[in-house]
Amino acid sequence: MHHRTIRKRFAAGIDALLAGAVALPHDLYPYQTEALQNTINWLLDLRGTKRGYIAHATGLGKTVLLSALIHACPKLRFLIVVPTKVLIEQTAPAITRFTKSMVGHVSSLKRIHDEDGNVIALPGYEYTNVVVTTDESFVQKAGMFKRQFQPHIIIWDECHWAYHPRARHALAQFDACVIIGLSATPDSLTTVAKPTSRAVLLENGRTLYADPNRLAATHFQTKIDERSVRWGIEEGWLAPFAWGRITFDCSLDGVASAETPSGTDYNEQQLQARMAAHWHTMTETIVRLYHNGEYDLPNRQTFSACPSILACEHLATSLRAIGIPAASISANTPTHERRDLLDRFRRNEIRHLSSVMVLREGVDAPNAEVCLMLRPTKSRTFYFQYMGRVLRLMRDNPHKVALVLDAHFQRAAIAPLSAPRLFAAPGQEVRELDILVGPDAGPRKPRKPRKPRDPRDPPRKPRKKVIASPYLLPDGVEPRIVVMDALDDIEYWAGDGGTFEADGEVWGTINVFADTLGCSSAAIKYRIEDHACRKRMGRNRSGTLQTFYALSDVRRACADLLQDVPEVNDQGTFEADREIWGTIRALAMMFGLTPVSIKHRIKNHACRKRTGRDRTGHPRTFYALSDVRRACADLLQDISEVNDQGTFEADGEVWGTIKPFATMLGFAQGTIKRRVKDHACRKRMGRNRSGTLQTFYALSDVRRACADLLGKKSRRKK
């Protein structure tokens, strides 16, 4: 089927669904209806892109939206790509609730059953128009899907995992398909700003950065619909959240950055080694919080993000030792045990569930209230996926307020991501345990009446109102107030010139500015300290953490060393203050002298000098032409034209180099050279026939120096 035909049929099916011609198991939320209408608009733009993506925050029902898209067009073949087999088991029941028919799957799973034990998904794709598979299976079997299943529409859930080169290559084979990506974090934003990074402005006015190859617009082209975490909370579709932090005496300096599936983040091995050295103390701090009942943690359902498998197991064991029902989940946890632990967590039988990575996506536990971010990260994708686990609304608690507790690492030059850095505006004061993002208290728009909802449906949107945080500090403890700086968490990397740009300013190290400004490093360092120049931490091209300074501040501090220099011409000189200035090399070429001879005389005659730049922009020292002429007066004389014998006449004397005199007198050049040196023959600078500067000697002095040889030669002739 042609791509345009697929778009038209898909758009017509969604339009019929919105018009009520297609029955749904329950009504869609208004923003889901708007997203479907935006999808229609994108599909009907036949000159538009073949790919699009929908960015909906965790908890806003992306799976419901996906199921509605499939239900709208039962005659089209859909291929659904999800990250893991766990998500296949969660996505298949949601689809069958809408379509009322079985789906196929391509994975190592067997038959999939619903809650009542009915088979809802079978391995294979021969009997159905809807197939669910993992991204790994899709990459490995893309050719098979294209030849045998021949999908019309591909929907990639959690599409931020589709940016890997292998995934891009597999997806490129389906040129005729309509391709839609779904993700809560479509852009892999981080706090690392490399020279090739692209800046992305957040809703709070702050900026994060991304590799262009990790942006949804690069691979999925058109943004069809977007609903952010802030939008979901302010509109009442997600739970508001308060923020707090737990301070640990641990520095992250020295932990390198590395490319990870979530974008640029801490090097995993180095981070685990650093955290392992402090984990025992950190665990004791968490246990003490539970023991003292702070934040009412013993009665809250808590997820914690830990740096390693050993760390999450140690934390769970330590909490169980004081009577807190706790467990850990990692990649080593068997699937059936993982399901059992999550079910017990949903029933409040387990109060604390620690994990490494696995609780980021596809975990639906609305009763989760507290998120402990004990694993530092530079990746917004990693942070949002964990944080999203606690923002879902609770059916039994419409006044739910989530709590995000960040680990605060003291003495860290560049702070990891935190909730205030992602949601507070630059310069905003954030009070500990206050509501950081809450519902908008504006007027509520009237809504159409809904059909009775299924008990398994997500809770309806509560009326927006101003709420207070239920989390309190112990008596007598004053809340800490944090002022969010605009730049304190960005890790800038220097480019080829050793500098980077941030906040409209150029930043560089002392050595880089010494080379740029033409000053010594010691002179710049001395002035920087006296003038309190702005500074920030960054990394050079090799990734080493260094101190960078603002160029404008350094220029002001070094004003006495810097002078405005006109543009240097092709000869390497410029005019200023009625004087011609040039470098030693440029003046040596002008005068026909060696740079060494000029340098020696400049040093002895204290010639005027000033700092400037040559044609390539490198800092150089320039000298006044008149002063250099005076210093080299003994070398600069008017030379008569040299004849064919390599000599010339001047001041009643014949002058020549050693070579023509050796030919003229019939001696070896070495012999004449030794006698010229021993007898202090007169000499002067001149040029030979080719224009090369050479030393000329007086012929009469040379004859006198070689008199003994000339006498012997005369006697032999007699």
Side-chain angles (χ1 to χ4, degrees):
M1 190 181 300
H2 193 274
H3 178 80
R4 290 196 172 193
T5 304
I6 297 173
R7 295 178 78 103
K8 291 178 181 179
R9 291 190 180 182
F10 197 11
I14 300 173
D15 186 60
L17 182 147
L18 294 179
V22 178
L24 292 173
H26 61 79
D27 284 348
L28 299 175
Y29 292 147
Y31 65 85
Q32 292 173 327
T33 301
E34 293 174 12
L36 291 177
Q37 184 59 57
N38 291 337
T39 304
I40 294 174
N41 298 337
W42 170 68
L43 290 170
L44 293 180
D45 182 10
L46 300 182
R47 294 185 179 181
T49 61
K50 292 184 177 181
R51 301 184 185 184
Y53 66 97
I54 297 173
H56 281 194
T58 300
L60 292 181
K62 293 190 298 298
T63 305
V64 171
L65 192 65
L66 178 152
S67 302
L69 289 171
I70 296 172
H71 187 43
C73 302
K75 294 185 179 181
L76 294 178
R77 289 188 293 276
F78 286 82
L79 179 61
I80 313 302
V81 184
V82 298
T84 63
K85 291 184 290 184
V86 174
L87 281 176
I88 290 182
E89 294 177 309
Q90 295 182 12
T91 304
I95 295 174
T96 56
R97 284 182 57 202
F98 277 76
T99 62
K100 304 301 181 183
S101 60
M102 285 196 297
V103 301
H105 70 83
V106 176
S107 69
S108 61
L109 296 172
K110 304 300 181 183
R111 295 185 175 187
I112 300 176
H113 301 78
D114 61 13
E115 296 177 354
D116 299 325
N118 300 315
V119 177
I120 58 173
L122 292 173
Y125 44 81
E126 295 82 2
Y127 52 86
T128 178
N129 282 342
V130 182
V131 173
V132 187
T133 187
T134 62
D135 49 14
E136 186 63 28
S137 296
F138 174 75
V139 168
Q140 293 178 354
K141 302 177 181 179
M144 181 199 71
F145 284 121
K146 182 179 181 180
R147 293 188 305 271
Q148 300 180 20
F149 183 61
Q150 298 179 353
H152 299 122
I153 299 166
I154 297 176
I155 301 180
W156 196 307
D157 193 16
E158 308 296 354
C159 65
H160 51 274
W161 297 113
Y163 306 160
H164 189 276
R166 293 178 61 221
R168 300 203 304 263
H169 175 74
L171 205 56
Q173 300 180 45
F174 298 86
D175 187 60
C177 293
V178 172
I179 300 174
I180 297 178
L182 298 175
S183 179
T185 52
D187 297 329
S188 297
L189 305 182
T190 79
T191 57
V192 177
K194 294 186 177 181
T196 57
S197 298
R198 186 176 299 173
V200 178
L201 186 66
L202 305 183
E203 293 173 297
N204 62 346
R206 296 172 64 82
T207 301
L208 291 181
Y209 296 83
D211 181 338
N213 285 323
R214 291 183 177 274
L215 293 173
T218 303
H219 307 292
F220 287 86
Q221 301 171 330
T222 300
K223 184 191 298 181
I224 299 174
D225 193 75
E226 181 179 22
R227 312 286 164 162
S228 66
V229 172
R230 181 182 291 276
W231 178 90
I233 294 174
E234 291 180 346
E235 292 296 313
W237 301 108
L238 295 175
F241 74 92
W243 170 80
R245 69 181 186 182
I246 307 172
T247 301
F248 301 105
D249 186 13
C250 172
S251 174
L252 299 175
D253 295 350
V255 179
S257 298
E259 293 302 319
T260 72
S262 299
T264 307
D265 205 346
Y266 293 105
N267 179 283
E268 194 66 36
Q269 293 181 341
Q270 294 184 23
L271 178 63
Q272 289 184 9
R274 179 65 57 86
M275 297 292 287
H278 298 270
W279 190 250
H280 181 75
T281 303
M282 294 176 67
T283 300
E284 287 183 342
T285 302
I286 303 301
V287 170
R288 187 164 56 251
L289 292 178
Y290 270 89
H291 185 269
N292 296 336
E294 294 188 37
Y295 313 122
D296 196 25
L297 287 180
N299 300 315
R300 303 284 183 179
Q301 294 300 108
T302 303
F303 281 142
S304 63
C306 300
S308 67
I309 294 176
L310 290 177
C312 73
E313 291 175 350
H314 181 259
L315 178 58
T317 301
S318 300
L319 290 174
R320 287 196 298 269
I322 63 169
I324 303 298
S328 62
I329 291 181
S330 68
N332 295 339
T333 307
T335 302
H336 67 278
E337 184 179 341
R338 184 182 305 181
R339 289 198 205 99
D340 179 64
L341 291 174
L342 287 172
D343 287 341
R344 291 171 60 195
F345 183 85
R346 295 185 186 101
R347 296 194 299 267
N348 295 345
E349 296 174 6
I350 293 177
R351 285 293 187 177
H352 185 113
L353 200 54
S354 58
S355 76
V356 185
M357 311 295 276
V358 296
L359 293 183
R360 294 181 306 163
E361 298 160 334
V363 176
D364 185 359
N367 61 333
E369 300 172 277
V370 181
C371 176
L372 276 176
M373 290 297 299
L374 303 179
R375 192 272 194 194
T377 183
K378 302 176 184 180
S379 167
R380 189 185 73 149
T381 297
F382 183 96
Y383 196 99
F384 268 19
Q385 293 290 350
Y386 257 110
M387 179 184 175
R389 302 307 113 199
V390 300
L391 297 183
R392 296 179 186 272
L393 296 176
M394 291 177 64
R395 188 181 307 111
D396 301 331
N397 182 12
H399 305 295
K400 170 185 173 180
V401 175
L403 174 64
V404 177
L405 290 174
D406 283 315
H408 175 63
F409 298 91
Q410 292 181 316
R411 300 182 289 109
I414 301 176
L417 273 178
S418 64
R421 284 176 169 80
L422 290 169
F423 293 96
Q428 176 181 339
E429 289 188 355
V430 179
R431 185 180 295 270
E432 187 179 17
L433 296 187
D434 272 1
I435 301 292
L436 183 55
V437 181
D440 183 5
R444 184 175 175 83
K445 297 179 181 179
R447 277 202 314 230
K448 297 179 180 179
R450 297 179 178 177
K451 299 177 183 178
R453 65 183 179 88
D454 189 284
R456 295 171 294 181
D457 291 347
R460 292 179 176 176
K461 180 179 178 182
R463 181 175 295 277
K464 294 183 286 186
K465 61 182 179 180
V466 178
I467 58 175
S469 172
Y471 303 97
L472 302 174
L473 288 168
D475 293 339
V477 178
E478 292 295 326
R480 287 169 291 189
I481 299 177
V482 180
V483 180
M484 302 312 301
D485 181 74
L487 296 172
D488 59 355
D489 64 332
I490 302 298
E491 179 184 306
Y492 288 94
W493 286 55
D496 292 338
T499 62
F500 59 80
E501 292 188 16
D503 199 28
E505 182 65 80
V506 176
W507 302 78
T509 62
I510 289 177
N511 289 337
V512 168
F513 286 149
D515 185 57
T516 303
L517 302 178
C519 307
S520 69
S521 299
I524 293 182
K525 184 177 181 181
Y526 172 76
R527 286 166 173 79
I528 282 176
E529 293 174 352
D530 286 349
H531 289 76
C533 297
R534 289 171 294 165
K535 61 183 179 180
R536 60 178 301 119
M537 300 305 294
R539 296 188 186 273
N540 60 19
R541 291 183 62 192
S542 64
T544 303
L545 198 65
Q546 291 185 313
T547 302
F548 288 71
Y549 298 89
L551 174 60
S552 60
D553 292 356
V554 175
R555 284 190 176 277
R556 185 177 64 252
C558 301
D560 59 317
L561 301 177
L562 303 174
Q563 302 181 45
D564 293 330
V565 178
E567 184 178 359
V568 177
N569 58 32
D570 294 336
Q571 288 74 41
T573 63
F574 62 84
E575 292 187 18
D577 301 331
R578 300 182 180 181
E579 181 64 80
I580 294 177
W581 302 79
T583 62
I584 289 178
R585 184 175 295 276
L587 295 176
M589 294 181 62
M590 181 183 296
F591 294 149
L593 305 174
T594 63
V596 174
S597 60
I598 292 183
K599 185 176 181 179
H600 174 72
R601 285 165 173 77
I602 283 176
K603 184 177 180 181
N604 292 334
H605 288 76
C607 298
R608 288 171 295 166
K609 61 183 178 180
R610 65 190 299 169
T611 300
R613 298 180 186 277
D614 61 17
R615 298 283 289 179
T616 63
H618 290 85
R620 295 284 186 265
T621 301
F622 289 72
Y623 297 89
L625 175 62
S626 60
D627 292 357
V628 177
R629 279 188 182 277
R630 185 177 65 254
C632 300
D634 61 315
L635 301 178
L636 302 174
Q637 302 181 40
D638 293 330
I639 305 297
S640 301
E641 184 176 358
V642 177
N643 56 33
D644 294 338
Q645 288 74 39
T647 63
F648 63 86
E649 293 187 13
D651 301 331
E653 182 67 75
V654 176
W655 300 80
T657 62
I658 289 177
K659 184 177 181 179
F661 284 158
T663 303
M664 183 185 299
L665 301 177
F667 300 130
Q669 294 184 40
T671 302
I672 295 181
K673 187 174 183 180
R674 286 194 300 272
R675 281 169 169 72
V676 164
K677 183 177 180 180
D678 292 340
H679 289 76
C681 298
R682 288 172 296 166
K683 60 184 178 181
R684 65 192 299 169
M685 301 303 295
R687 298 181 188 278
N688 60 19
R689 299 284 290 178
S690 63
T692 303
L693 193 68
Q694 289 185 315
T695 302
F696 288 72
Y697 298 91
L699 176 59
S700 60
D701 292 355
V702 175
R703 284 186 178 277
R704 185 177 66 254
C706 300
D708 59 325
L709 297 176
L710 292 172
K712 291 179 181 179
K713 187 176 183 181
S714 177
R715 286 194 294 272
R716 282 198 298 269
K717 287 182 179 180
K718 292 179 179 180

